[in-house]
Amino acid sequence: MEVIDATIRLIGEPACTIEDLMLDVKGRISHSSMIYGRAGIYQAYKTGRGSIIMRCRTEIEKVQGSNDREQIVVTELPYQVNKARLHAKIGELMRDKRIEASRKPATRATATACASCSS
């Protein structure tokens, strides 16, 4: 819808700038992830080349049976992200102590529990 709005603006105002078109293009996507920042979108429209960084959608849930522990749950992965490779990368970050966690990452049928953290 955003690109259609920008196209209509461009047809109505052929001299409009990329900045004008970016008023219509917010960076929302229809599949299951979020675009991180708008600079890549802007660069792609301006030069035809750009790098768009995607993030998983996550939720923080309380660990059942515990009053003070929480876990980060990845609920939606960006397009073409391999769940097994993501799981392995999270395990590597935990081993390198870049993510603080009290147990290993776990996989569920509908989501990936990334790390259990103490609050």
Side-chain angles (χ1 to χ4, degrees):
M1 209 54 191
E2 295 173 354
V3 174
I4 292 170
D5 292 339
T7 304
I8 291 169
R9 180 186 294 260
L10 187 58
I11 291 169
E13 304 171 37
C16 72
T17 65
I18 292 187
E19 289 80 8
D20 295 333
L21 295 176
M22 291 301 292
L23 296 173
D24 295 317
V25 180
K26 306 289 186 213
R28 289 184 219 107
I29 51 177
S30 61
H31 49 81
S32 61
S33 58
M34 300 180 301
I35 293 177
Y36 181 68
R38 296 188 55 205
I41 298 169
Y42 177 81
Q43 196 65 25
Y45 278 105
K46 185 175 179 180
T47 65
R49 299 178 62 114
S51 178
I52 299 173
I53 299 170
M54 308 288 285
R55 284 200 166 173
C56 301
R57 291 193 187 269
T58 59
E59 295 176 1
I60 297 178
E61 296 179 353
K62 294 227 180 263
V63 175
Q64 289 182 351
S66 173
N67 292 333
D68 62 342
R69 289 182 37 211
E70 296 176 328
Q71 62 185 0
I72 301 169
V73 178
V74 175
T75 57
E76 300 174 17
L77 296 174
Y79 181 67
Q80 292 188 330
V81 170
N82 182 297
K83 188 161 99 172
R85 274 190 267 177
L86 175 65
H87 196 267
K89 180 67 175 174
I90 291 168
E92 179 183 313
L93 292 171
M94 289 169 65
R95 279 189 303 279
D96 294 345
K97 306 264 191 248
R98 294 187 67 195
I99 295 177
E100 215 174 291
S102 59
R103 62 180 199 175
K104 293 181 185 177
T107 302
R108 296 193 282 198
T110 58
T112 304
C114 289
S116 297
C117 308
S118 298
S119 309

